[in-house]
């Protein structure tokens, strides 16, 4: 890929954002200088993709980034956020992998997965891939996951489901499961929606997901995910997204695109899950608010987990 190929502008686009879209009249050119991998990331991608040469690996990733950018030009695509495996750095990660290795028929759901990089890493670290479900709004993301990792439906047994979590046909809201789940585990290979997974998901990963929604929609999505979570103690939902010391709508800017994001505080996020979505004392909620740099801005990042007791 030449620099001219990378810098070519793509047409204007409506970027999906919750139940609405942000219209961008002109998309900025991609910037390959933002590309970087940590030694640990490079080791993973070389093994997972099957490319040992650094320059060849970079060219492959830039090609995938360009195709992804044309599907939905999110800021996380521009800054190579799809290479960052946030779940690996969360304090509960080793417990997540332990659940996958030891719990019978444990299901890992990667919601808002983009190219499903995090679920691929979870599979590489020991979670049986045939019990992993990755889901995103765009089918194109899921197709590109195979292109990114140079796999196919035949060579990678994980499952992909495209759909809108706000659509009850995709994911209906039901109360959190309590006691044994009566419905049998569905055939994951035949899934076309997430509702059949009610009460069956041992771990749900929601990285950079909730920030796509308004306050009311975040509550809706939280209730929807809670209905998917297994009642077995230790089952958990984990994630990270922009937060704030005081909850509210905050202006954000990325690539000169301005938009508002509803941000929970650690306290309001805890109250949402423990006492609103779940009964008080039914879950343990952990939160950590820290500042991270992004394209010259400092973003307060709320990292969290919700664990069934």
């Amino acid at each position: 890929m030449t620099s001219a190929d990378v810098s070519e502008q793509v047409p204007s686009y409506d970027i999906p954002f919750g139940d609405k879209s942000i219209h961008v009249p002109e998309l900025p050119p991609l910037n390959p200088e933002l590309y970087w991998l940590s030694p640990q990331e490079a080791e993973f991608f070389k093994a997972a993709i099957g490319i040992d040469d650094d320059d060849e690996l970079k060219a492959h990733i830039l090609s995938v980034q360009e195709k992804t950018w044309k599907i939905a030009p999110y800021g996380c695509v521009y800054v190579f956020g799809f290479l960052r495996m946030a779940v690996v750095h969360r304090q509960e990660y080793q417990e997540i992998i332990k659940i996958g290795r030891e719990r019978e028929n444990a299901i890992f759901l990667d919601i808002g997965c983009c190219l499903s990089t995090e679920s691929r890493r979870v599979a590489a670290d020991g979670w049986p891939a045939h019990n992993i479900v990755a889901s995103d709004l765009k089918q194109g993301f899921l197709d590109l996951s195979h292109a990114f990792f140079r796999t196919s439906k035949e060579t990678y047994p994980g499952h992909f489901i495209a759909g809108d979590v706000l659509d009850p046909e995709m994911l209906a809201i039901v109360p959190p499961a309590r006691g044994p789940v009566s419905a049998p585990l569905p055939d994951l290979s035949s899934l076309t929606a997430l509702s059949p997974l009610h009460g069956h998901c041992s771990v749900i990963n929601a990285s950079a997901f909730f920030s796509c929604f308004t306050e009311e929609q975040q509550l809706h999505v939280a209730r929807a995910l809670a209905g998917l979570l297994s009642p077995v103690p230790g089952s958990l939902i984990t994630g990270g997204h922009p937060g704030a010391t005081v909850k509210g709508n905050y202006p954000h800017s990325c690539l000169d695109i301005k938009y508002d994001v509803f941000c929970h505080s650690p306290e309001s996020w805890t109250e949402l899950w423990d006492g609103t979505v779940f009964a008080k004392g039914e879950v343990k909620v952990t939160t950590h608010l820290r500042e991270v740099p992004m394209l010259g801005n400092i973003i307060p990042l709320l990292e969290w987990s919700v664990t069934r007791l």
Side-chain angles (χ1 to χ4, degrees), residues 35 37-58 60-61 85 148-150:
Y35 171 85
L37 292 174
S38 70
Q40 294 79 13
E41 290 166 344
E43 180 182 9
F44 166 73
F45 286 116
K46 286 179 179 181
I49 298 172
I51 297 177
D52 291 327
D53 181 78
D54 289 332
D55 291 336
E56 185 182 349
L57 178 64
K58 179 179 179 180
H60 174 71
I61 291 174
M85 294 166 280
F148 184 20
F149 288 96
R150 305 206 298 189

Side-chain angles (χ1 to χ4, degrees), residues 21-42:
S21 296
I22 299 174
H23 181 70
V24 183
E26 184 177 67
L27 291 173
L30 294 172
N31 181 2
E33 293 185 3
L34 295 176
Y35 171 85
W36 65 274
L37 292 174
S38 70
Q40 294 79 13
E41 290 166 344

Side-chain angles (χ1 to χ4, degrees), residues 24-227:
V24 183
E26 184 177 67
L27 291 173
L30 294 172
N31 181 2
E33 293 185 3
L34 295 176
Y35 171 85
W36 65 274
L37 292 174
S38 70
Q40 294 79 13
E41 290 166 344
E43 180 182 9
F44 166 73
F45 286 116
K46 286 179 179 181
I49 298 172
I51 297 177
D52 291 327
D53 181 78
D54 289 332
D55 291 336
E56 185 182 349
L57 178 64
K58 179 179 179 180
H60 174 71
I61 291 174
L62 290 177
S63 174
V64 171
Q65 182 204 30
E66 184 177 28
K67 294 172 184 175
T68 308
W69 185 243
K70 291 180 179 180
I71 292 174
Y74 292 113
C76 61
V77 176
Y78 187 90
V79 299
F80 296 95
F82 61 92
L83 302 179
R84 313 280 90 87
M85 294 166 280
V87 67
V88 175
H89 304 292
R90 298 192 193 123
Q91 62 182 9
E92 60 270 15
Y93 186 65
Q94 291 308 314
E95 181 59 29
I96 289 172
I97 297 303
K98 182 179 179 182
I99 290 172
R101 289 174 173 170
E102 299 181 0
R103 187 183 296 185
E104 184 178 4
N105 293 324
I107 303 300
F108 181 93
L109 172 62
D110 192 9
I111 191 76
C113 65
C114 192
L115 300 186
S116 73
T117 304
E118 295 192 66
S119 55
R120 297 279 188 151
R121 174 61 187 268
V122 167
D125 286 343
W127 195 297
H130 65 271
N131 282 338
I132 291 177
V133 177
S135 182
D136 208 303
L137 180 65
K138 296 280 189 176
Q139 179 63 43
F141 282 151
L142 308 182
D143 294 338
L144 276 174
S145 179
H146 280 307
F148 184 20
F149 288 96
R150 305 206 298 189
T151 57
S152 66
K153 293 180 180 179
E154 291 70 36
T155 61
Y156 177 70
H159 310 279
F160 299 97
I161 303 173
D164 184 354
V165 296
L166 297 177
D167 180 357
E169 293 296 318
M170 173 65 168
L171 179 55
I173 292 180
V174 299
R178 298 177 176 93
V181 177
S182 59
L185 181 67
D187 176 6
L188 300 185
S189 65
S190 64
L191 281 181
T192 58
L194 294 177
S195 289
L197 293 176
H198 281 143
H200 289 296
C201 294
S202 294
V203 174
I204 301 173
N205 181 47
S207 293
F209 182 61
F210 276 88
S211 53
C212 295
F213 304 102
T214 65
E215 180 179 12
E216 294 76 15
Q217 290 168 345
Q218 288 186 28
L219 176 58
H220 176 104
V221 173
R223 290 189 188 278
L225 295 185

Side-chain angles (χ1 to χ4, degrees), residues 17 210-216 218 241-252 259-269 271-272 289 300 302:
F17 202 77
F210 276 88
S211 53
C212 295
F213 304 102
T214 65
E215 180 179 12
E216 294 76 15
Q218 288 186 28
H241 53 259
T245 54
V246 178
K247 76 170 185 175
N249 284 302
Y250 288 85
H252 282 243
Y259 53 96
D260 287 338
V261 173
F262 182 82
C263 299
H264 271 281
S265 69
E267 293 78 16
S268 66
W269 192 244
E271 292 169 359
L272 181 144
L289 189 64
L302 180 64

Side-chain angles (χ1 to χ4, degrees), residues 266-289:
E267 293 78 16
S268 66
W269 192 244
T270 299
E271 292 169 359
L272 181 144
W273 290 99
D274 185 17
T276 303
V277 173
F278 290 95
K280 188 71 174 176
E282 199 170 28
V283 293
K284 175 185 177 182
V285 182
T286 64
T287 60
H288 176 55
L289 189 64

